[in-house]
Amino acid sequence: MSITSTPTSNDACLSIVHSLMCHRQGGESESFAKRAIESLVKKLKEKKDELDSLITAITTNGAHPSKCVTIQRTLDGRLQVAGRKGFPHVVYARLWRWPDLHKNELKHVKYCQYAFDLKCDNVCVNPYHYERVVSPGIDLSGLTLSGSVPLLVKDEYDYDIHQSYPSSESHLQTIQHPPSRPSPQESFLNPALLPLSEGSGAASTSAFCSISAGPSRPVTNEIAFQPPLSNHPAPEYWCSIAYFEMDVQVGETFKVQSTCPIVTVDGYVDPSGGNRFCLGQLSNVHRTENIERARLHIGKGMQLECKGEGDVWVRCLSDHAVFVQSYYLDREAGRAPGDAVHKIYPSAYIKVFDLSQCHRQMQQQAATAQAASAAQAAAVAGNIPGPGSVGGIAPAISLSAAAGIGVDDLRRLCILRMSFVKGWGPDYPRQSIKETPCWIEIHLHRALQLLDEVLHTMPIADPHPLD
Protein backbone atom coordinates (compact mmCIF):
# COMPACT_ATOMS: atom_id res chain seq x y z
CA MET A 1 0.00 0.00 0.00
CA SER A 2 1.36 3.43 -0.89
CA ILE A 3 1.31 6.27 1.63
CA THR A 4 -1.56 8.06 -0.11
CA SER A 5 -3.78 5.13 -1.14
CA THR A 6 -6.67 3.76 0.90
CA PRO A 7 -5.94 0.32 2.41
CA THR A 8 -8.04 -2.79 1.87
CA SER A 9 -8.74 -5.82 4.05
CA ASN A 10 -5.77 -7.57 2.40
CA ASP A 11 -3.30 -5.07 3.84
CA ALA A 12 -1.45 -5.54 7.10
CA CYS A 13 -3.30 -4.59 10.30
CA LEU A 14 -0.72 -1.87 11.03
CA SER A 15 -1.39 -0.15 7.70
CA ILE A 16 -5.16 -0.27 8.19
CA VAL A 17 -4.91 1.05 11.75
CA HIS A 18 -2.64 3.88 10.63
CA SER A 19 -5.10 4.93 7.94
CA LEU A 20 -8.12 4.78 10.26
CA MET A 21 -6.23 6.74 12.94
CA CYS A 22 -5.89 9.61 10.48
CA HIS A 23 -9.68 10.02 10.51
CA ARG A 24 -10.28 10.09 14.28
CA GLN A 25 -11.90 13.21 15.70
CA GLY A 26 -9.40 13.79 18.48
CA GLY A 27 -11.67 13.58 21.51
CA GLU A 28 -9.92 10.55 22.97
CA SER A 29 -6.20 10.25 23.66
CA GLU A 30 -4.08 8.88 20.83
CA SER A 31 -3.10 5.79 22.82
CA PHE A 32 -6.72 4.89 23.65
CA ALA A 33 -7.86 5.48 20.05
CA LYS A 34 -5.05 3.30 18.70
CA ARG A 35 -5.87 0.42 21.03
CA ALA A 36 -9.59 0.64 20.25
CA ILE A 37 -8.98 0.65 16.50
CA GLU A 38 -6.40 -2.15 16.68
CA SER A 39 -8.86 -4.27 18.66
CA LEU A 40 -11.59 -3.73 16.05
CA VAL A 41 -9.37 -4.39 13.04
CA LYS A 42 -8.09 -7.66 14.51
CA LYS A 43 -11.66 -8.83 15.18
CA LEU A 44 -12.60 -8.07 11.57
CA LYS A 45 -9.55 -9.65 9.91
CA GLU A 46 -11.49 -12.84 9.24
CA LYS A 47 -14.51 -10.89 7.92
CA LYS A 48 -12.91 -9.13 4.99
CA ASP A 49 -16.12 -7.72 3.52
CA GLU A 50 -17.01 -6.05 6.81
CA LEU A 51 -13.48 -4.71 7.24
CA ASP A 52 -13.64 -3.25 3.75
CA SER A 53 -17.01 -1.69 4.64
CA LEU A 54 -15.47 -0.09 7.73
CA ILE A 55 -12.51 1.27 5.74
CA THR A 56 -14.85 2.66 3.08
CA ALA A 57 -17.19 4.27 5.62
CA ILE A 58 -14.41 5.92 7.62
CA THR A 59 -12.13 7.06 4.79
CA THR A 60 -15.03 8.58 2.83
CA ASN A 61 -16.75 10.08 5.89
CA GLY A 62 -19.85 8.06 5.08
CA ALA A 63 -20.14 9.41 1.53
CA HIS A 64 -20.55 5.88 0.13
CA PRO A 65 -23.06 3.28 1.36
CA SER A 66 -21.51 0.63 3.61
CA LYS A 67 -22.59 -2.65 5.20
CA CYS A 68 -22.90 -3.51 8.85
CA VAL A 69 -19.56 -3.89 10.66
CA THR A 70 -20.15 -6.35 13.49
CA ILE A 71 -18.45 -7.67 16.58
CA GLN A 72 -19.79 -10.21 19.04
CA ARG A 73 -22.03 -8.87 21.80
CA THR A 74 -20.60 -9.36 25.30
CA LEU A 75 -22.66 -10.54 28.27
CA ASP A 76 -23.14 -7.02 29.66
CA GLY A 77 -23.19 -5.44 26.20
CA ARG A 78 -20.05 -3.41 26.84
CA LEU A 79 -16.61 -3.41 25.25
CA GLN A 80 -13.43 -3.11 27.30
CA VAL A 81 -10.48 -1.18 25.90
CA ALA A 82 -7.42 -0.06 27.90
CA GLY A 83 -9.12 -0.74 31.22
CA ARG A 84 -12.25 1.22 30.29
CA LYS A 85 -15.67 -0.19 29.47
CA GLY A 86 -18.17 1.35 27.09
CA PHE A 87 -20.93 0.45 24.68
CA PRO A 88 -19.12 -0.51 21.45
CA HIS A 89 -21.21 1.54 19.02
CA VAL A 90 -20.73 4.61 21.26
CA VAL A 91 -16.96 4.09 21.56
CA TYR A 92 -16.44 4.05 17.78
CA ALA A 93 -18.99 6.78 17.06
CA ARG A 94 -17.01 9.03 19.43
CA LEU A 95 -13.72 8.11 17.79
CA TRP A 96 -14.78 8.87 14.24
CA ARG A 97 -17.81 11.17 14.35
CA TRP A 98 -18.90 12.90 17.57
CA PRO A 99 -16.25 13.25 20.31
CA ASP A 100 -18.75 14.80 22.77
CA LEU A 101 -21.39 12.11 22.21
CA HIS A 102 -23.50 10.91 25.16
CA LYS A 103 -24.43 7.22 25.22
CA ASN A 104 -28.18 7.98 25.01
CA GLU A 105 -27.89 10.12 21.87
CA LEU A 106 -27.55 7.40 19.21
CA LYS A 107 -30.31 6.04 17.01
CA HIS A 108 -29.63 3.43 14.33
CA VAL A 109 -30.58 3.96 10.69
CA LYS A 110 -33.41 1.81 9.31
CA TYR A 111 -31.22 -0.38 7.11
CA CYS A 112 -28.85 -1.41 9.95
CA GLN A 113 -29.54 -5.09 10.63
CA TYR A 114 -27.34 -5.52 13.71
CA ALA A 115 -27.86 -2.23 15.57
CA PHE A 116 -27.07 -2.29 19.28
CA ASP A 117 -30.73 -1.76 20.24
CA LEU A 118 -31.87 -4.79 18.23
CA LYS A 119 -30.22 -7.10 20.82
CA CYS A 120 -28.70 -9.44 18.21
CA ASP A 121 -25.76 -11.72 19.01
CA ASN A 122 -23.58 -9.43 16.93
CA VAL A 123 -23.45 -5.63 17.27
CA CYS A 124 -22.91 -3.20 14.41
CA VAL A 125 -20.24 -0.60 15.21
CA ASN A 126 -20.26 1.18 11.85
CA PRO A 127 -20.46 4.85 12.96
CA TYR A 128 -22.36 5.73 9.79
CA HIS A 129 -25.14 3.29 10.65
CA TYR A 130 -26.15 5.58 13.52
CA GLU A 131 -27.59 9.06 13.75
CA ARG A 132 -27.20 11.47 16.62
CA VAL A 133 -30.40 12.58 18.32
CA VAL A 134 -30.88 15.01 21.19
CA SER A 135 -31.70 13.34 24.49
CA PRO A 136 -35.27 13.99 25.72
CA GLY A 137 -35.60 16.86 28.13
CA ILE A 138 -32.62 18.86 26.88
CA ASP A 139 -33.46 22.49 26.24
CA LEU A 140 -31.72 23.66 23.09
CA SER A 141 -32.71 27.31 23.47
CA GLY A 142 -29.39 28.22 25.04
CA LEU A 143 -27.16 26.28 22.65
CA THR A 144 -25.03 28.25 20.21
CA LEU A 145 -22.66 27.24 17.46
CA SER A 146 -19.11 28.42 18.03
CA GLY A 147 -15.53 27.51 17.25
CA SER A 148 -14.93 25.88 20.62
CA VAL A 149 -16.78 22.56 20.41
CA PRO A 150 -16.61 20.60 23.69
CA LEU A 151 -14.70 17.33 23.31
CA LEU A 152 -14.17 14.34 25.55
CA VAL A 153 -10.56 14.12 26.62
CA LYS A 154 -8.23 11.99 28.67
CA ASP A 155 -5.17 13.47 30.34
CA GLU A 156 -2.27 11.06 29.88
CA TYR A 157 -0.04 12.97 32.28
CA ASP A 158 -2.09 12.03 35.32
CA TYR A 159 -2.06 8.25 35.19
CA ASP A 160 -0.82 5.19 33.39
CA ILE A 161 -3.16 4.31 30.53
CA HIS A 162 -3.13 0.67 31.62
CA GLN A 163 -4.45 1.53 35.08
CA SER A 164 -8.19 1.00 35.39
CA TYR A 165 -10.51 3.51 37.03
CA PRO A 166 -14.29 3.35 37.27
CA SER A 167 -16.03 3.36 33.91
CA SER A 168 -16.61 6.82 32.47
CA GLU A 169 -19.68 5.50 30.63
CA SER A 170 -22.02 5.81 33.55
CA HIS A 171 -20.94 8.71 35.74
CA LEU A 172 -18.66 11.74 35.64
CA GLN A 173 -16.87 12.61 32.41
CA THR A 174 -14.21 15.13 31.45
CA ILE A 175 -15.17 17.49 28.64
CA GLN A 176 -12.51 19.67 27.07
CA HIS A 177 -12.99 23.24 25.90
CA PRO A 178 -10.15 24.28 23.60
CA PRO A 179 -9.57 27.97 22.85
CA SER A 180 -11.31 29.55 19.88
CA ARG A 181 -9.44 32.07 17.77
CA PRO A 182 -10.65 35.65 18.41
CA SER A 183 -10.91 38.06 15.53
CA PRO A 184 -8.38 40.94 15.44
CA GLN A 185 -11.25 43.38 15.95
CA GLU A 186 -12.43 41.51 19.06
CA SER A 187 -8.92 41.53 20.53
CA PHE A 188 -8.69 45.26 20.00
CA LEU A 189 -12.07 46.01 21.57
CA ASN A 190 -11.83 43.69 24.56
CA PRO A 191 -9.13 44.53 27.14
CA ALA A 192 -9.71 41.13 28.78
CA LEU A 193 -8.11 39.50 25.72
CA LEU A 194 -4.83 41.36 26.21
CA PRO A 195 -2.10 39.18 27.77
CA LEU A 196 -0.85 39.90 31.28
CA SER A 197 2.76 40.98 31.64
CA GLU A 198 5.19 38.53 33.20
CA GLY A 199 5.79 38.73 36.93
CA SER A 200 3.19 40.37 39.11
CA GLY A 201 0.82 41.51 36.38
CA ALA A 202 -0.55 44.15 38.79
CA ALA A 203 -0.19 47.07 36.43
CA SER A 204 -1.89 45.31 33.55
CA THR A 205 -4.93 44.33 35.64
CA SER A 206 -5.41 47.41 37.80
CA ALA A 207 -7.24 49.25 35.05
CA PHE A 208 -10.06 46.69 35.08
CA CYS A 209 -11.53 48.07 38.32
CA SER A 210 -12.54 51.25 36.53
CA ILE A 211 -14.72 49.29 34.08
CA SER A 212 -18.38 49.25 35.05
CA ALA A 213 -19.97 45.85 35.57
CA GLY A 214 -21.40 44.52 32.33
CA PRO A 215 -20.42 42.91 29.05
CA SER A 216 -17.05 43.98 27.67
CA ARG A 217 -18.11 43.09 24.14
CA PRO A 218 -20.74 44.95 22.12
CA VAL A 219 -24.09 43.51 23.22
CA THR A 220 -27.08 42.60 21.10
CA ASN A 221 -30.40 44.36 21.55
CA GLU A 222 -31.81 41.22 23.15
CA ILE A 223 -29.23 41.32 25.95
CA ALA A 224 -29.18 45.10 26.26
CA PHE A 225 -32.93 45.35 26.90
CA GLN A 226 -33.31 42.25 29.04
CA PRO A 227 -35.07 43.32 32.27
CA PRO A 228 -33.29 42.53 35.54
CA LEU A 229 -34.33 39.37 37.35
CA SER A 230 -34.71 41.32 40.59
CA ASN A 231 -35.43 44.91 41.54
CA HIS A 232 -33.13 44.66 44.54
CA PRO A 233 -29.89 46.66 44.16
CA ALA A 234 -26.84 44.64 43.16
CA PRO A 235 -24.78 43.36 46.10
CA GLU A 236 -21.64 45.26 47.12
CA TYR A 237 -19.50 42.24 46.15
CA TRP A 238 -20.33 40.20 43.05
CA CYS A 239 -18.42 37.13 44.24
CA SER A 240 -16.29 35.72 47.04
CA ILE A 241 -13.44 33.28 46.39
CA ALA A 242 -12.12 30.70 48.86
CA TYR A 243 -8.83 28.90 48.13
CA PHE A 244 -8.35 25.25 49.13
CA GLU A 245 -5.51 22.74 49.19
CA MET A 246 -7.07 19.29 49.18
CA ASP A 247 -9.96 19.60 51.69
CA VAL A 248 -8.50 22.48 53.73
CA GLN A 249 -9.22 26.17 53.13
CA VAL A 250 -6.04 28.23 53.09
CA GLY A 251 -6.14 31.95 53.87
CA GLU A 252 -9.15 34.25 54.13
CA THR A 253 -12.03 34.33 51.67
CA PHE A 254 -11.40 36.99 49.03
CA LYS A 255 -14.32 39.26 48.07
CA VAL A 256 -14.57 41.07 44.74
CA GLN A 257 -16.42 44.37 44.59
CA SER A 258 -19.15 44.84 41.99
CA THR A 259 -17.16 47.79 40.61
CA CYS A 260 -14.47 45.28 39.54
CA PRO A 261 -16.19 42.97 37.01
CA ILE A 262 -12.91 41.25 36.11
CA VAL A 263 -10.80 39.54 38.77
CA THR A 264 -7.55 37.62 38.29
CA VAL A 265 -6.63 34.62 40.44
CA ASP A 266 -2.94 33.78 39.96
CA GLY A 267 -0.02 32.02 41.61
CA TYR A 268 2.18 35.05 42.25
CA VAL A 269 3.31 36.35 45.64
CA ASP A 270 2.13 39.98 45.42
CA PRO A 271 -0.35 41.22 48.04
CA SER A 272 -3.97 40.49 47.09
CA GLY A 273 -6.45 43.32 46.71
CA GLY A 274 -9.03 44.94 44.46
CA ASN A 275 -9.28 42.83 41.36
CA ARG A 276 -6.44 40.41 42.06
CA PHE A 277 -6.20 37.37 44.32
CA CYS A 278 -2.61 36.10 44.58
CA LEU A 279 -2.35 32.54 45.85
CA GLY A 280 1.46 32.43 45.94
CA GLN A 281 1.68 34.41 49.17
CA LEU A 282 -0.65 32.11 51.13
CA SER A 283 1.08 29.79 53.60
CA ASN A 284 -0.02 26.38 54.85
CA VAL A 285 2.00 24.44 57.45
CA HIS A 286 0.45 21.18 56.22
CA ARG A 287 1.37 21.76 52.56
CA THR A 288 2.84 18.65 50.90
CA GLU A 289 5.45 18.40 48.19
CA ASN A 290 2.79 17.47 45.62
CA ILE A 291 0.75 20.56 46.46
CA GLU A 292 3.84 22.76 46.30
CA ARG A 293 4.73 21.34 42.90
CA ALA A 294 1.22 21.95 41.56
CA ARG A 295 1.20 25.52 42.89
CA LEU A 296 4.32 26.29 40.88
CA HIS A 297 2.29 25.67 37.70
CA ILE A 298 -0.59 28.05 38.51
CA GLY A 299 1.37 30.94 36.99
CA LYS A 300 -0.92 33.59 35.53
CA GLY A 301 -3.90 31.55 36.64
CA MET A 302 -7.32 32.59 35.39
CA GLN A 303 -9.61 35.57 35.00
CA LEU A 304 -13.23 35.59 36.12
CA GLU A 305 -15.47 38.13 34.42
CA CYS A 306 -18.96 39.15 35.51
CA LYS A 307 -21.18 40.24 32.63
CA GLY A 308 -24.61 41.81 32.68
CA GLU A 309 -26.58 41.11 35.84
CA GLY A 310 -24.49 38.12 36.88
CA ASP A 311 -23.32 35.86 34.05
CA VAL A 312 -19.74 34.63 34.53
CA TRP A 313 -17.01 33.93 32.00
CA VAL A 314 -13.59 32.36 32.59
CA ARG A 315 -10.35 32.92 30.72
CA CYS A 316 -7.46 30.50 31.35
CA LEU A 317 -4.26 32.57 31.48
CA SER A 318 -2.09 29.76 32.82
CA ASP A 319 0.12 27.51 30.71
CA HIS A 320 -1.86 24.61 32.17
CA ALA A 321 -5.56 23.81 31.99
CA VAL A 322 -8.06 24.62 34.72
CA PHE A 323 -10.88 22.22 35.56
CA VAL A 324 -14.38 23.53 36.22
CA GLN A 325 -17.51 22.20 37.89
CA SER A 326 -20.30 24.15 36.18
CA TYR A 327 -23.99 23.24 35.94
CA TYR A 328 -24.32 25.66 33.03
CA LEU A 329 -21.65 23.85 30.99
CA ASP A 330 -23.19 20.50 31.96
CA ARG A 331 -26.48 21.60 30.46
CA GLU A 332 -24.81 23.01 27.34
CA ALA A 333 -23.13 19.63 26.81
CA GLY A 334 -26.44 17.80 27.27
CA ARG A 335 -25.44 16.33 30.64
CA ALA A 336 -27.22 16.15 33.96
CA PRO A 337 -26.04 18.69 36.58
CA GLY A 338 -22.82 17.48 38.18
CA ASP A 339 -22.34 14.84 35.47
CA ALA A 340 -19.12 16.27 34.02
CA VAL A 341 -15.85 18.04 34.76
CA HIS A 342 -14.90 20.66 32.20
CA LYS A 343 -11.27 21.08 31.17
CA ILE A 344 -10.61 24.69 30.11
CA TYR A 345 -7.45 24.91 28.02
CA PRO A 346 -4.87 27.74 28.09
CA SER A 347 -6.15 30.88 26.30
CA ALA A 348 -9.74 29.55 26.21
CA TYR A 349 -12.46 32.05 27.09
CA ILE A 350 -15.76 30.45 27.99
CA LYS A 351 -19.04 31.15 29.74
CA VAL A 352 -19.42 29.05 32.89
CA PHE A 353 -22.48 30.53 34.59
CA ASP A 354 -25.81 31.90 33.36
CA LEU A 355 -27.83 33.81 35.95
CA SER A 356 -31.19 33.47 34.18
CA GLN A 357 -30.80 29.71 33.83
CA CYS A 358 -29.75 29.41 37.48
CA HIS A 359 -32.79 31.45 38.55
CA ARG A 360 -35.13 29.20 36.60
CA GLN A 361 -33.54 26.07 38.07
CA MET A 362 -33.79 27.29 41.66
CA GLN A 363 -37.46 28.27 41.15
CA GLN A 364 -38.28 24.87 39.63
CA GLN A 365 -36.41 22.87 42.29
CA ALA A 366 -37.87 24.89 45.16
CA ALA A 367 -41.40 24.47 43.77
CA THR A 368 -40.84 20.73 43.27
CA ALA A 369 -39.49 20.27 46.80
CA GLN A 370 -42.35 22.24 48.32
CA ALA A 371 -44.98 20.27 46.38
CA ALA A 372 -43.32 16.95 47.22
CA SER A 373 -43.17 17.81 50.93
CA ALA A 374 -46.86 18.68 50.86
CA ALA A 375 -47.64 15.41 49.08
CA GLN A 376 -45.62 13.44 51.64
CA ALA A 377 -47.45 15.13 54.47
CA ALA A 378 -50.77 14.28 52.81
CA ALA A 379 -49.66 10.67 52.39
CA VAL A 380 -48.75 10.42 56.07
CA ALA A 381 -52.17 11.80 56.93
CA GLY A 382 -53.75 9.09 54.80
CA ASN A 383 -54.59 11.24 51.79
CA ILE A 384 -52.42 9.61 49.12
CA PRO A 385 -52.30 11.99 46.14
CA GLY A 386 -52.66 11.00 42.52
CA PRO A 387 -49.94 11.41 39.88
CA GLY A 388 -51.32 14.76 38.72
CA SER A 389 -51.40 16.40 42.12
CA VAL A 390 -47.68 17.20 42.39
CA GLY A 391 -46.67 17.65 38.82
CA GLY A 392 -46.56 13.93 38.14
CA ILE A 393 -44.33 13.01 41.10
CA ALA A 394 -46.38 10.07 42.31
CA PRO A 395 -44.06 7.16 43.25
CA ALA A 396 -42.95 7.26 46.89
CA ILE A 397 -39.26 7.11 46.03
CA SER A 398 -39.56 10.10 43.70
CA LEU A 399 -41.49 11.99 46.33
CA SER A 400 -38.82 11.24 48.87
CA ALA A 401 -36.05 12.40 46.54
CA ALA A 402 -37.87 15.59 45.60
CA ALA A 403 -38.76 16.34 49.20
CA GLY A 404 -35.09 15.81 50.06
CA ILE A 405 -34.07 18.93 48.10
CA GLY A 406 -32.79 21.37 50.71
CA VAL A 407 -31.43 24.91 50.83
CA ASP A 408 -27.88 23.64 50.36
CA ASP A 409 -28.88 21.85 47.16
CA LEU A 410 -30.13 25.16 45.82
CA ARG A 411 -27.02 26.98 47.05
CA ARG A 412 -24.91 24.63 44.92
CA LEU A 413 -26.51 26.23 41.86
CA CYS A 414 -24.87 29.53 42.89
CA ILE A 415 -21.37 28.11 43.34
CA LEU A 416 -18.53 27.39 40.91
CA ARG A 417 -15.56 25.18 41.71
CA MET A 418 -12.31 25.23 39.75
CA SER A 419 -9.03 23.38 40.20
CA PHE A 420 -5.67 24.43 38.83
CA VAL A 421 -3.44 22.05 36.84
CA LYS A 422 -5.00 18.77 38.07
CA GLY A 423 -8.39 17.29 37.18
CA TRP A 424 -10.64 14.84 38.99
CA GLY A 425 -13.21 12.19 38.19
CA PRO A 426 -12.97 8.67 36.69
CA ASP A 427 -10.42 9.87 34.12
CA TYR A 428 -7.98 10.68 36.95
CA PRO A 429 -6.73 9.09 40.17
CA ARG A 430 -8.58 11.82 42.10
CA GLN A 431 -12.32 11.16 42.41
CA SER A 432 -13.29 14.49 44.01
CA ILE A 433 -12.15 18.09 43.69
CA LYS A 434 -11.25 17.86 47.38
CA GLU A 435 -8.45 15.50 46.38
CA THR A 436 -6.88 18.03 43.99
CA PRO A 437 -3.85 19.98 45.25
CA CYS A 438 -5.12 23.53 44.68
CA TRP A 439 -8.61 24.73 43.86
CA ILE A 440 -11.02 27.58 44.45
CA GLU A 441 -14.72 27.84 45.29
CA ILE A 442 -16.57 30.90 43.98
CA HIS A 443 -19.82 32.03 45.59
CA LEU A 444 -21.85 34.24 43.25
CA HIS A 445 -23.61 36.87 45.33
CA ARG A 446 -26.28 38.02 42.86
CA ALA A 447 -27.40 34.41 42.41
CA LEU A 448 -27.46 33.91 46.19
CA GLN A 449 -29.49 37.12 46.47
CA LEU A 450 -32.04 35.72 44.00
CA LEU A 451 -32.09 32.43 45.90
CA ASP A 452 -32.92 34.33 49.09
CA GLU A 453 -35.92 35.88 47.30
CA VAL A 454 -37.06 32.47 46.01
CA LEU A 455 -36.83 30.95 49.50
CA HIS A 456 -38.86 33.78 50.99
CA THR A 457 -41.70 33.00 48.58
CA MET A 458 -41.29 29.20 48.75
CA PRO A 459 -39.64 28.18 52.05
CA ILE A 460 -38.36 24.60 52.10
CA ALA A 461 -36.69 22.37 54.66
CA ASP A 462 -32.95 21.77 54.72
CA PRO A 463 -32.40 18.02 55.19
CA HIS A 464 -28.65 17.81 54.68
CA PRO A 465 -25.57 20.09 54.80
CA LEU A 466 -23.47 21.34 51.90
CA ASP A 467 -20.43 19.22 51.10
Side-chain angles (χ1 to χ4, degrees), residues 371-372 374-376 378-379 382-396 399:
Q376 273 195 330
N383 302 319
I384 300 179
S389 59
V390 285
I393 310 174
L399 277 174

Side-chain angles (χ1 to χ4, degrees), residues 314-382:
V314 167
R315 184 187 311 283
C316 180
L317 303 173
S318 173
D319 292 333
H320 297 268
V322 296
F323 296 81
V324 181
Q325 184 182 72
S326 160
Y327 291 169
Y328 170 76
L329 288 179
D330 291 344
R331 176 172 166 167
E332 292 295 282
R335 305 298 172 89
D339 195 35
V341 178
H342 301 268
K343 185 174 184 179
I344 314 296
Y345 276 74
S347 301
Y349 178 60
I350 187 167
K351 185 177 182 179
V352 294
F353 181 80
D354 185 284
L355 185 66
S356 296
Q357 182 192 102
C358 176
H359 189 226
R360 287 194 301 272
Q361 284 181 301
M362 62 176 69
Q363 286 177 318
Q364 290 166 1
Q365 289 192 23
T368 300
Q370 192 180 47
S373 295
Q376 273 195 330
V380 170

